[in-house]
Amino acid sequence: MKLYFIPGLGADKRVFRHIHLPEGYEMVHIDWIPPHPTESLHDYALRLAEKIDMNENWGLVGLSFGGMLAAEISRLFKPKHTILIASISSPAQLPFYYKIVAPLKVHKILPISLFKNASLARRIFTTETDEDKALLRKIISESDPAFIRWALGAILSWKATDLPADYYHIHGSGDHLLPVRYVKPTHTIPGGGHLMVMNRSEEVNGLLARILEG
């Protein structure tokens, strides 16, 4: 079975470098497509789903922003598996402080370089290996500012009201970007942060195997 992986905002397939699937599963990476300027998260997910071969059994794994898109695709179609990692399954799970700033349209006026520089600076204090930190800095520096600006707006204006029919949700109790108290994960990694696919990958791989083989 093919499992389609969607990375997080400002990232690409390289963030999944430590993720390994059980025998019988093939990892397929979905690359970003350019968004239309006023496109909703729902409509973007619909276009992104065109990359999926739905003539055979398939599943989705989405990280952070990619998990939000995976949730939307799962609502529209019926994958065999939907797995969210360090993400949310509906806008109702966004922390309240994001909802407060949403009407201010801050994402339209703040320089995207601030978001990128903050992410780059934070790597100094995280627990990834030096090699992974260097890779993350490279990924962040190469990310498209226009895409990040669109995605921030799409997240803040996300309108979904229902949850995907069946899904699994892996979350870290130490996630500061999307705190666990606002979500209802099916599996929790104690102390895991937002990028536990890199620095807690053995535990993530173990949970993926348990879900897929269970």
Side-chain angles (χ1 to χ4, degrees):
M1 179 190 298
K2 291 181 179 177
L3 282 183
Y4 293 85
F5 279 69
I6 311 176
L9 179 57
D12 59 32
K13 64 184 179 182
R14 290 173 289 182
V15 78
F16 294 119
R17 66 196 300 248
H18 299 307
I19 298 302
H20 304 289
L21 299 176
E23 186 176 350
Y25 290 89
E26 177 185 354
M27 180 184 295
V28 180
H29 296 287
I30 295 184
D31 296 323
W32 299 121
I33 56 177
H36 302 317
T38 59
E39 190 170 28
S40 67
L41 192 148
H42 171 90
D43 289 343
Y44 184 85
L46 187 63
R47 290 200 299 124
L48 202 65
E50 294 174 5
K51 291 176 169 281
I52 298 171
D53 181 359
M54 299 184 188
N55 294 315
E56 55 187 5
N57 283 336
W58 59 282
L60 284 171
V61 179
L63 172 67
S64 190
F65 177 56
M68 302 176 203
L69 291 166
E72 279 298 304
I73 294 172
S74 184
R75 288 184 180 91
L76 297 166
F77 306 99
K78 300 300 176 187
K80 177 78 172 179
H81 300 288
T82 301
I83 304 172
L84 314 184
I85 303 175
S87 187
I88 58 175
S89 55
S90 80
Q93 296 177 352
L94 273 173
F96 72 91
Y97 37 85
Y98 292 154
K99 299 173 185 176
I100 290 174
V101 301
L104 302 178
K105 307 292 184 183
V106 174
H107 64 282
K108 290 187 175 182
I109 56 176
L110 282 180
I112 295 302
S113 59
L114 290 179
F115 293 93
K116 296 177 72 169
N117 289 338
S119 297
L120 289 168
R122 191 171 181 275
R123 300 269 66 78
I124 298 171
F125 306 104
T126 51
T127 59
E128 296 93 10
T129 65
D130 289 343
E131 182 182 359
D132 283 346
K133 285 182 180 181
L135 175 62
L136 286 167
R137 287 194 290 268
K138 181 175 176 61
I139 291 173
I140 293 167
S141 66
E142 292 174 352
S143 59
D144 179 9
F147 182 84
I148 293 174
R149 190 181 299 280
W150 166 79
L152 290 171
I155 293 168
L156 295 175
S157 58
W158 190 15
K159 300 297 184 185
T161 57
D162 60 331
L163 297 176
D166 294 297
Y167 70 99
Y168 298 94
H169 183 168
I170 302 171
H171 214 86
S173 67
D175 192 320
H176 298 298
L177 187 61
L178 295 171
V180 70
R181 65 182 178 275
Y182 296 107
V183 301
K184 296 179 179 179
T186 57
H187 300 77
T188 302
I189 294 180
H194 199 63
L195 278 178
M196 56 190 179
V197 291
M198 299 198 80
N199 56 26
R200 303 285 290 273
S201 57
E202 287 188 11
E203 292 160 90
V204 174
N205 286 333
L207 288 175
L208 287 175
R210 188 189 309 173
I211 290 168
L212 296 171
E213 297 176 338

